Amino acid sequence: MNIDNKKFVFIKDEADHTERDFIIIKGNAATYVEVFDDKATGESSSNVFTGDIVRKKNIISLRADMLENKKVPVPVTKTLLLTRQDNILYLIDVNTKARWIDEQSYTKKAK
């Protein structure tokens, strides 16, 4: 499965905020974006991490060691399993079981 130029989305709804996370893959480079929407104030804040991925068959290791173009002491790391269910691509975090959905599939389904 080709995942070059793919964007995956994970949405978590908490009591006081909504968190939208994105993983954007371009070749071996990756961008990891966290967006926090505060329900009380309506304000949003974000963190943009950049790094790289290593893919071995359907296992993808993400290591994002730059935050807003500054090196971070502890990189964001994720180990993800690439899977396809009902013709939709997912990345499943092997540690948390969080399911990231291919944005193109998500927006098609929402319409």
Side-chain angles (χ1 to χ4, degrees), residues 43-55:
E43 292 182 10
S44 292
S45 61
S46 65
N47 295 316
V48 179
F49 296 90
T50 52
D52 53 17
I53 64 162
V54 175
R55 180 176 176 184

Side-chain angles (χ1 to χ4, degrees), residues 50-108:
T50 52
D52 53 17
I53 64 162
V54 175
R55 180 176 176 184
K56 298 231 189 299
K57 295 190 180 181
N58 283 352
I59 298 291
I60 296 167
S61 296
L62 167 77
R63 183 182 62 93
D65 59 351
M66 302 286 280
L67 171 62
E68 314 280 338
N69 294 323
K70 292 187 177 84
K71 197 116 171 122
V72 290
V74 180
V76 174
T77 59
K78 299 216 175 278
T79 303
L80 305 153
L81 172 65
L82 177 64
T83 185
R84 180 187 299 266
Q85 296 171 343
D86 296 329
N87 231 12
I88 297 172
L89 283 179
Y90 292 96
L91 290 177
I92 300 175
D93 189 315
V94 299
N95 297 310
T96 67
K97 305 295 184 242
R99 291 167 52 104
W100 300 71
I101 187 170
D102 174 20
E103 187 187 50
Q104 287 179 321
S105 302
Y106 180 76
T107 51
K108 261 192 269 179

Side-chain angles (χ1 to χ4, degrees), residues 8-9 14 20-21 23 26 34 38 41 50 56 60-61 63 65 72 101 109:
F8 292 88
V9 182
E14 300 287 339
R20 295 175 289 149
D21 296 345
I23 294 175
K26 290 188 186 234
E34 301 172 317
D38 189 311
T41 64
T50 52
K56 298 231 189 299
I60 296 167
S61 296
R63 183 182 62 93
D65 59 351
V72 290
I101 187 170
K109 191 175 76 174

